[in-house]
Every structure is written in structure tokens, then in C-alpha cells.
Amino acid sequence: MVTRNESATGAPGAPDIDVVVVGAGFAGLYLLYRLRGLGFPTKVIESADDVGGTWYWNRYPGARCDIESIDYSYSFDPELETEWQWSERYATQPEILRYLGHVADKHALRRDIEFSTRVEAARWDGGASLWRLRTDRGDEIRCRFYVMASGCLSLPKALDIEGADRFAGEAYYTSRWPHRSVDFSGKRVAVIGTGSSAIQSIPIIAQQAAELTVFQRTPNFSRPAKNGPVSAAKKAAFDANPRAYREAARMSGAGVPREVPMVRALQVSAAERLAKYEEAYESGDLLALSGTFTDIGANPEANETVCEFLRGKIRSIVRDPETAEALCPKNHFYGTKRPCIDTNYFETFNLPHVRLVDLRKDPIRTITEKGIDTASRSFEFDAIVFATGFDAMTGAIVAVDIEGRDGVALARKWADGPKQYLGLMTSGFPNFFTITGPGSPSVLSNMVVSIEQHVDWVSACLVHMREQHLTTIEPTPTAEVGWVQHVNDFADITLFPRANSWYMGANVPGKARVFLPYVGGVDRYRKTCAEVVSRGYLGFAFDGPGGARCSDGVIRRVQPDVAIVLEAIEELGVPALDTLSVENARALTVVMAAERPPGPQVGEVVDAALPGAAGPLAYRLYRPTGAGPHPIVVYFHGGGWVLGGRDSDDPFCRDLCVRSGAILVSVDSRHAPESRFPAAVDDGFAAVRWIAAHAEALGGRPGQLAVCGWSAGGNIAAVVCQLARDAGGPRIAGQVLVTPVTDCDLTRESYVANGEGYGLTASLTRWFWDHYADPADRRRPKASPLRAADLSNLPPALVVTCEFDPLRDEGAAYAAALAAAGVDARHLPCRGQMHTSLPSVDVIRSAAAARAEIGTALRRFFGVSTPAAIES
Ligand code: NA7
């Protein structure tokens, strides 16, 4: 029973206790320890009869951690690190449970844990500013703060197999294994599922069972764990400086210290790739393969090299070719469903009494009294083991009937996916925290590191509230929407959303298909949480005797890959171009370009020259695959009329060629300051005229010519359209202006807001203009096309602008002015992007959707409606 005398006042409407925590696993135990130490009366409610959480319930044969135990352990109590020695590299479930029992004993935690009790409902009482919890014992507990530390993988998925309750033999669930030992000797056993739990238990069950049949719906990637004693090297690395080791874990991507890859898989030779994969394979480290190259998680082609490497291993282990092939994952990318490490998993299928049933070919029809009927066969079993997984990340939370402000049910609020701020809180539910909730790194990290970070954050928040005399905290809707967007933006630049995984909620019928964890990494996330606090708890609203306060806003508005690129530029200490001589600036852009991904393959690339306004101009022609003739797009590169050439936007041109199905002719123009205004636009116009006149010879379709340009190239493209109109030709079918320079006024709001910190600076823009044109010339429409007296009768236009670009507002103004003049003009504003996003093919993946829109627009200009054949 909960005692009521813990209340500070004991008055009606007063809380019984400050904090109630649900769950006595890694999270609940540390929370209790921390809050108790800070003087917050705290009670933990736990449905099991002892501590352990997931390690209490998941006692199936072979259950162990697959993050090394040195890493998968608490850091808050340095004494633990010397008094507890792990017996194996990957500890078994009983050992981890003993560890948690030891921690509970050492810190006398059990006295504040109410075991064998389940919280069934929780209601926010706005009048009294407290939560009223109801337990399955019929108690009501009133608390100021309510924390769900209920685990990400704790609520078993409801069985979705017809007839599951009909089976008369022994039925076991890996997630709810009996506390007695189970003996399968001499029995015919079925295992349904091939996730982590199955992959760990199958080899052990096979040692006992007379017959073992594995029912597999989706084969999984797994490799040997190479378990054994804790490695001497690992132990030495830890012992050398445990505090530094822990700090490195906190500032790593996945909560385990490791080197960060610097090279793309597709940048190196196949032999080099293979060597890296072999090394990672042999390491037995779950995270090693994803950490071999930078692009494994994002680039399908790069990922496929890992997949094929692992399939090769499976084929080399499993003797029966048909079984081997069935065990090879082919419908998801490596890492997009939780990969596994194992001990003799694939080898088990070589045993004569073990067989695999491929449910993709022969699905389960029903479970019967005696066994399992598939579409084509009837199997009889003495025991069935269901290793069918969990309602991950949200299941255990919404299993409690939680009602926030105004009677809103959490289950209803989250019906289309969890709406959370930082994975810690949800708006409309004051003083309600989730430890490792959806929208935090959680299951994509070493859970213990993420748990400690959340517990520390929540504890510090409660101390802040106490010091500031604040009673309630909740996130604002603005902050929450912004965070959910950021979580999705991050997921969308990876391959994760393409898999039907529990990360996506896809394993539970009817569950919203939303990416649940935060893929940005433990380090990035930790810095974000700290920044939220340092900016006055940005996005949180507080109330209480200390006064109402709220610093509202969105913590991350820039696209995640844009942020990564900006961080890399800062880390590399790349000098600002406008601090360099023109010669050095040009040399630097060439060096930077050498490192980028090459862009997609096209049918043919031809370098040649054409006559410009004052001499030959180099151009590069990109021809699509497939029989011509093709429409032609004349492309003008960026570089502020000063830098760049036909090489500088090469990946973008390839991408545009593939997406548009058109020939791209990327034309150089004379550069400033050697050739100032109007040399560049005169060259541009001369090039368009020549290309239009020679379209057929170039493989083009006469009359089907569009122009496209990025940045200063967008300026040239826009001016060329005006010159062609005024000269009565050539006919231009459309213009795509990508973050174009359209005006010389550098005082617009976007220059103020985005003038610093987003790649192209206001000062660099000034530097370009100074090199290009005299102040009087800049105002002429040939330099500032926005200033043309007449914008009518221009070709249809797509104007792309980026939110974090100094040029944003002049691009938007040009789109609006064209539309006002009756031109068929569309404005495509790109959220969270910067000036260089669009041309950064395979680097700024979040801009791929905008690149696809450009392809579609070009196709439309040419009257083509078929979609481009390109992966995002
Ligand atoms: P998982 O990884 O969700 O695995 C569950 C397995 O059960 C998986 O192979 C599923 O196939 C299979 N499954 C689920 N429902 C069915 C039905 N109806 N029919 C056939 N097969 C089914 O859970 P685990 O317990 O193994 O591991 C959970 C996490 O714990 C793990 O990732 C680690 O982080 C620790 P599917 O892939 O859905 O086709």
C-alpha cells in the first residue's frame, strides 16, 4: 500500500508525494536514486515483484545484452565500476538482473518501490496542479510529477496470429518467459519470429529440442557476437580513465565511444570496402558495420554493399542453398530493422533436426490445437515459442489511461503518432515526463547512456522549478510541432523510413506509421537538450508562485543535413571566401569540390566549346540514357560571376539531367573581376542562341529549350530570358531559377536574418557584387532582373528559394513580380535549407524533394508527364 504520510502538508488536494515513477528498470532505479538525493520524495511503482524492468521479464534462453557490458552499465556511481566486474563481454540476462539488484541493494532503493502494482490511469487535476494516479490495487496517489520510465520495449505486441489461444501444448513468449526453467528435451518445438529474441534463443532451444521449426516472416541481418571474457583492450581503455571514457560515450553518436567514419563507402575500392567490412564483422561489435563508412545509413547503393557482404556470409555458413537464400534479408536495408549479433544462429540451420519455414512463401493460416497450419502444410508441436516482439516505444505509455489538461486522452493525442518535445514531455500534459520517450535517441543508442541523460535533465529541471517557485511545466505546441518535424526530417535523410520495422511502428497492425526514435545521435541530442535549458528552457511554459514564464520557439529549424554540413565547415576551419584573393578563393572552391559525391550516372558526358560573346566558352554536355532526341536545358553555374566553371556544379547537372530527362548543357561564362558586367550575361545569351541554333546537332529537339541556373547562374538565366524576349528569340520554354540573384539591394530582411552562419554570407554577396558590377550598373535590369520595367511575356518559371539564404527574399520577390506580370511563375520555398543546399547532391539529401520538383517542372516545360527514374 502507498503510505499517505509522505505528503508535505497532508491537506486535501495536496499531493501525497512529489514524484511517482512507473518502472523499476535501469531508468526508474536511477531516477529514484537521483531524486531522492535531491530531496524530492519519490515513489516507484512496478508491476513485477522485483527490480529489473526489461531484464526482469526477458528471461528467455540465451537472453543477453548486445552492447558490451562495460558500456551498458551505470556511470553515476563510480564505485560500481570497481566493485562490479562483468564476467562476459556481453552479459547474460541473469547477470544484468543481478547487477540491477546489487544497485538497488547498495542504494537501498527497494524501500521506495511498490512492487506487484500497476498504474492503470493517470488524470491531471488542473485545479490542484497534480496528477491523480489509480493503481490496480484501487489506490489513488496524488503526485506533482508523474514519470513514465516504463521502457521502450516492454509491452509485448498483441498476438496477431489467428487461433493463437487454441494451441493445447506449451506456449511461451520470449518477453514473458516463466521463472522456472523450461526443458525442451525430446520435444517438437516451434519458434515464431526471427528478431533479436529469436536469434538469441534459437541456438539454445535447438540444443535441447528433438525437432525445432523456425517460422520466419522476415529474415534478419545478424553476425557473430564473438562473446567471451571482457576484452583486455576494452577493459584497459576503460580503466585508463573511466570518467573520460564515460564522457566519450556521452558525446558519441550511439552512446559507445568509437571513431567516427570520414569516408564514403562508394569512394573507395571494392577491396578496401571488403577489408573494412571483414574487420567490423570479426569485431563482434553490433555498431561496427554501420560505423565503417559515412553513407551506410543514407545511401541505398552504399548500404547494399553491406547487405551483400552479409548475405555472402550467410551463404558461406548455411549448407543448404535454399535455406541459406531464405535466411538472406532482401527486403530491407542493413540497419533499418534492428540488426542482431548472435552465437551460432545461422550454424543452427545446418543441424539435421532444425528446419526453416519461409512464411513469405508459405504463410501461417492458423494456429491449431496441435500446432501450426500454413497455407500448404500442417505442423504438430509440443511447444510454441512466440518471439513476436513489442509494441515499441509508445505501447507501454499509452497502455495507461493518461488524461491531461481538458480531459484529453494521451492515446487519442498520439493516435497518428507520438507528439513529443525532445522525447521528454508532451503539450497538454503538465508535469508528465517520459524517460527515453519517442523522439529521443533511446533505442538507437546505448540505452543506459540515454537513460542517464534523461534522468539528469529531468532532475535538473525539477531543481530549477523548486528554486524558481514554479509549479508546472509543459512544452508549447510550437516547440512540440517543431521537434516532431525535426525528428522526421532527420529520419527522412536516412533509409529507416523505407523498412517495415518496429522503429516505424509497422510491426503492430493499425499503429501509425511514424518513425519513433531520434536518429540524430546521442551527442547532438544531448547538446540540444542543454541548449534548450541555456536558452531559458526554450519551448517550455512554466507557471507557479514564481510567475508564469515561457521562452517559446523551435530549437532546430535548419534541416539536419544542412546543420551537419555547416558544422563540418566550421570544424574544418574553412576560411571565408571574401577574406581571400580571387585566385585563392577559386582554388579553394576547386579543392572543396573534389571531396563531394559525384552525382548520378548519365548516358554520356561531352566537353567542348562554343562561341561566346567575346571568344570561345567551355561547356559540358550531359546526355540522358535512352534514345534521343531530347529537350535541352542550358545551365548556368553559381559562383557569384567570379568563381566556378563547368566542373563546379557537375553533380547537380547530372542530377538535373536524370530528373528532367533532358540534355543539360552547362556553359561557362567570362568571370569578374577580369571581365565585369555585362560579360557574364552577354556570354549567357550568346550561348543560348548558339545552342538553340545547333540543337539538332547536339542531339536536342528543336524548339524545346529551357534555361536553368543557380545563384549568380540563376541571375544569368533570368536575364537571358528577358534578353531573348526583347530580341524576339530564341524561344525559351521555361526558366528554373535556383536561389537566384535578382536584385542588388542587400538590405532585405533575409540579408539581416541569414547574413551570417548559413554558408553564403551577406558579406560574401557584397564581395561578389563589388567584383562584378559598378554601383550604377547593378541597378540595370541586365544585372538586377527584378528591376525590369516589364516582366510580362517571359517564359514560365520555377523560382526556388531557401529559408536560410540571404537571397531568399529577392528570389521570392522575383517570383511574385513575374506572377503579377502574368507569367506562369511558381515559387518553391524550401524549409530549413541554405543557399548551397540544392546543388549539394547526395550531401544535402533533404533537398532531394526540391530537386525532384525541378525535374518535374522542366519536364512540364517540355510537355513530358512521365516521372523521372531516380531514387531520392
Ligand atoms: P522483434 O525484433 O520485433 O522481432 C519479432 C519477430 O517476430 C520478427 O521476426 C517478426 O517478423 C516476427 N513476427 C511478429 N509478428 C508475427 C506474425 N504475426 N507472424 C509471423 N512472424 C511475426 O522483437 P524481438 O523481441 O526479437 O526484439 C526486440 C528488440 O529487443 C530487439 O530489436 C532489441 O532491441 C532488443 P517481421 O520482421 O515483423 O516480419
Side-chain angles (χ1 to χ4, degrees):
M1 284 290 290
V2 172
T3 54
R4 299 283 153 77
N5 57 4
E6 287 137 332
S7 158
T9 65
D16 300 310
I17 195 158
D18 274 358
V19 189
V20 168
V21 176
V22 173
F26 267 96
L29 292 180
Y30 178 42
L31 201 47
L32 175 56
Y33 167 84
R34 178 61 72 217
L35 293 179
R36 194 197 268 171
L38 292 168
F40 293 99
T42 301
K43 172 77 71 188
V44 174
I45 309 284
E46 166 59 59
S47 61
D49 62 10
D50 201 356
V51 300
T54 200
W55 298 106
Y56 173 94
W57 295 107
N58 285 271
R59 338 180 145 227
Y60 58 85
R64 37 174 105 237
C65 185
D66 53 15
I67 296 288
E68 294 193 48
S69 294
I70 282 190
D71 299 303
Y72 192 82
S73 56
Y74 286 125
S75 74
F76 73 84
D77 176 1
E79 277 176 25
L80 277 173
E81 290 160 358
T82 46
E83 69 197 22
W84 187 273
Q85 295 301 320
W86 295 102
S87 67
E88 286 179 279
R89 181 182 185 188
Y90 297 108
T92 59
Q93 173 270 334
E95 187 171 2
I96 300 172
L97 194 57
R98 279 201 304 281
Y99 172 77
L100 290 171
H102 170 77
V103 174
D105 290 341
K106 179 176 179 196
H107 295 292
L109 297 176
R110 284 192 177 85
R111 69 165 198 256
D112 286 324
I113 305 174
E114 179 144 327
F115 291 108
S116 306
T117 306
R118 183 177 290 281
V119 171
E120 289 186 327
R123 307 239 173 296
W124 173 248
D125 178 340
S129 287
L130 51 76
W131 281 95
R132 294 175 182 278
L133 310 187
R134 200 189 64 235
T135 73
D136 59 354
R137 295 174 175 236
D139 294 321
E140 185 188 89
I141 314 169
R142 293 164 301 176
C143 56
R144 289 185 57 211
F145 298 98
Y146 163 41
V147 188
M148 285 298 272
S150 44
C152 292
L153 294 154
S154 47
L155 184 77
K157 183 181 93 149
L159 258 189
D160 51 358
I161 304 175
E162 149 91 19
D165 51 356
R166 217 179 295 155
F167 183 59
E170 302 163 36
Y172 300 100
Y173 299 82
T174 47
S175 52
R176 290 290 179 271
W177 203 259
H179 287 211
R180 61 181 168 79
S181 80
V182 175
D183 185 5
F184 289 117
S185 302
K187 293 188 177 149
R188 297 163 304 169
V189 182
V191 174
I192 302 179
T194 47
S196 291
S197 305
I199 283 177
Q200 289 187 334
S201 57
I202 282 167
I204 311 235
I205 295 172
Q207 285 168 13
Q208 287 185 349
E211 274 176 26
L212 174 62
T213 309
V214 176
F215 290 84
Q216 169 190 273
R217 188 163 67 184
T218 310
N220 222 332
F221 289 108
S222 187
R223 59 206 162 82
K226 311 263 170 170
N227 196 22
V230 174
S231 94
K234 179 90 174 175
K235 189 153 169 27
F238 183 84
D239 289 344
N241 188 343
R243 303 284 48 86
Y245 186 96
R246 296 296 194 186
E247 192 50 27
R250 290 183 196 114
M251 295 320 293
S252 68
V256 177
R258 63 181 45 255
E259 269 178 40
V260 179
M262 302 298 288
V263 181
R264 284 176 281 114
L266 303 179
Q267 215 173 344
V268 303
S269 68
E272 243 177 285
R273 262 198 312 267
L274 196 63
K276 277 252 182 218
Y277 294 159
E278 283 291 356
E279 191 189 334
Y281 186 85
E282 287 304 317
S283 72
D285 173 354
L286 176 71
L287 307 170
L289 260 179
S290 315
T292 45
F293 296 103
T294 54
D295 49 354
I296 302 292
N299 184 328
E301 238 184 295
N303 190 290
E304 179 57 23
T305 63
V306 179
C307 297
E308 200 40 40
F309 168 78
L310 289 172
R311 287 184 208 120
K313 293 289 182 190
I314 297 168
R315 289 175 187 128
S316 73
I317 297 170
V318 181
R319 284 189 218 111
D320 173 47
E322 203 184 321
T323 307
E325 226 35 53
L327 286 165
C328 285
K330 288 177 191 143
N331 78 346
H332 65 277
F333 288 107
Y334 177 76
T336 57
K337 283 172 84 105
R338 176 66 154 68
C340 303
I341 52 175
D342 66 85
T343 303
N344 295 330
Y345 174 63
F346 292 114
E347 288 81 350
T348 301
F349 292 91
N350 289 333
L351 299 174
H353 65 293
V354 176
R355 67 186 153 179
L356 182 72
V357 176
D358 182 349
L359 298 180
R360 303 262 165 186
K361 287 191 182 148
D362 191 10
I364 294 180
R365 212 163 42 74
T366 184
I367 293 182
T368 64
E369 216 169 280
K370 292 189 168 167
I372 297 173
D373 281 2
T374 62
S376 72
R377 296 184 59 179
S378 273
F379 296 85
E380 292 194 359
F381 298 111
D382 303 308
I384 300 179
V385 175
F386 295 95
T388 43
F390 298 87
D391 185 348
M393 300 212 60
T394 54
I397 300 172
V398 298
V400 178
D401 177 12
I402 302 172
E403 204 178 278
R405 232 184 249 295
D406 308 322
V408 173
L410 186 66
R412 189 147 50 87
K413 181 181 171 188
W414 284 11
D416 300 329
K419 314 219 169 26
Q420 272 266 53
Y421 185 36
L422 302 170
L424 278 162
M425 298 197 82
T426 182
S427 69
F429 295 78
N431 294 4
F432 168 56
F433 295 93
T434 51
I435 302 297
T436 63
S440 72
S442 57
V443 293
L444 296 178
S445 69
N446 175 356
M447 285 300 290
V448 187
V449 170
S450 289
I451 283 169
E452 287 194 334
Q453 186 254 337
H454 263 193
V455 168
D456 291 343
W457 195 95
V458 171
S459 309
C461 175
L462 264 53
V463 170
H464 171 78
M465 291 176 70
R466 183 169 61 191
E467 285 169 352
Q468 300 289 316
H469 309 287
L470 300 168
T471 314
T472 60
I473 174 175
E474 74 177 285
T476 68
T478 304
E480 182 167 288
V481 167
W483 185 252
V484 171
Q485 180 72 62
H486 178 62
V487 169
N488 284 306
D489 284 346
F490 233 127
D492 287 345
I493 58 170
T494 72
L495 298 170
F496 277 108
R498 303 195 192 190
N500 289 323
S501 64
W502 57 256
Y503 297 134
M504 292 296 298
N507 64 329
V508 175
K511 189 168 175 174
R513 200 173 195 288
V514 175
F515 188 67
L516 297 169
Y518 177 65
V519 72
V522 163
D523 45 354
R524 187 177 299 281
Y525 176 79
R526 175 180 291 271
K527 285 185 205 153
T528 302
C529 290
E531 188 183 327
V532 162
V533 173
S534 71
R535 290 170 69 181
Y537 279 91
L538 182 71
F540 285 103
F542 293 94
D543 207 349
R549 63 187 71 166
C550 176
S551 146
D552 202 1
V554 171
I555 185 73
R556 293 285 173 253
R557 290 171 55 215
V558 170
Q559 286 286 347
D561 40 7
V562 170
I564 290 168
V565 167
L566 290 172
E567 282 162 21
I569 290 173
E570 198 175 320
E571 251 169 58
L572 288 171
V574 179
L577 291 174
D578 49 321
T579 61
L580 304 177
S581 66
V582 166
E583 198 183 28
N584 287 345
R586 285 176 187 156
L588 180 62
T589 50
V590 171
V591 170
M592 302 276 288
E595 289 302 312
R596 68 196 168 177
Q601 291 280 331
V602 298
E604 186 191 22
V605 176
V606 180
D607 281 348
L610 56 79
L617 298 174
Y619 73 85
R620 178 166 296 162
L621 182 146
Y622 304 82
R623 199 182 306 286
T625 52
H630 303 281
I632 295 182
V633 177
V634 183
Y635 178 84
F636 301 105
H637 66 78
W641 309 282
V642 175
L643 315 171
R646 63 184 176 188
D647 280 333
S648 53
D649 297 1
D650 186 74
F652 191 33
C653 291
R654 289 169 176 277
D655 189 82
L656 290 173
C657 171
V658 175
R659 289 186 192 277
S660 66
I663 292 170
L664 253 277
V665 186
S666 171
V667 195
D668 279 6
S669 52
R670 278 168 295 155
H671 276 156
E674 296 86 341
S675 306
R676 287 165 65 85
F677 172 86
V681 282
D682 284 346
D683 277 347
F685 189 40
V688 166
R689 279 204 296 210
W690 186 88
I691 292 165
H694 296 81
E696 239 167 311
L698 293 170
R701 222 177 271 154
Q704 290 212 326
L705 181 142
V707 294
C708 174
W710 167 60
S711 191
N715 171 275
I716 298 173
V719 171
V720 161
C721 287
Q722 294 188 9
L723 295 176
R725 175 200 61 185
D726 296 345
R731 187 184 165 271
I732 297 175
Q735 49 181 327
V736 174
L737 312 179
V738 183
T739 58
V741 180
T742 69
D743 193 36
C744 58
D745 174 5
L746 310 190
T747 62
R748 287 187 163 81
E749 162 59 22
S750 55
Y751 277 90
V752 179
N754 306 322
E756 273 290 336
Y758 301 104
L760 176 67
T761 60
S763 138
L764 180 57
T765 313
R766 208 164 294 119
W767 188 82
F768 285 137
W769 271 112
D770 289 346
H771 283 302
Y772 181 51
D774 295 336
D777 284 337
R778 293 180 200 181
R779 288 191 284 278
R780 293 170 54 186
K782 241 178 139 174
S784 292
L786 182 60
R787 292 182 187 232
D790 178 13
L791 290 173
S792 64
N793 295 318
L794 286 169
L798 174 70
V799 184
V800 183
T801 61
C802 290
E803 186 180 0
F804 295 99
D805 180 2
L807 305 187
R808 178 194 67 202
D809 293 352
E810 67 196 71
Y814 196 59
L818 288 175
V823 174
D824 173 7
R826 203 182 134 220
H827 176 203
L828 175 63
C830 298
R831 180 178 56 78
Q833 300 294 352
M834 63 175 169
H835 186 70
T836 50
S837 290
L838 272 289
S840 300
V841 173
D842 290 334
V843 176
I844 309 286
R845 286 177 186 276
S846 57
R851 289 190 279 271
E853 292 228 27
I854 293 176
T856 307
L858 287 168
R859 282 168 184 262
R860 275 211 203 103
F861 293 156
F862 302 129
V864 181
S865 56
T866 48
I870 188 168
E871 291 234 34
S872 67

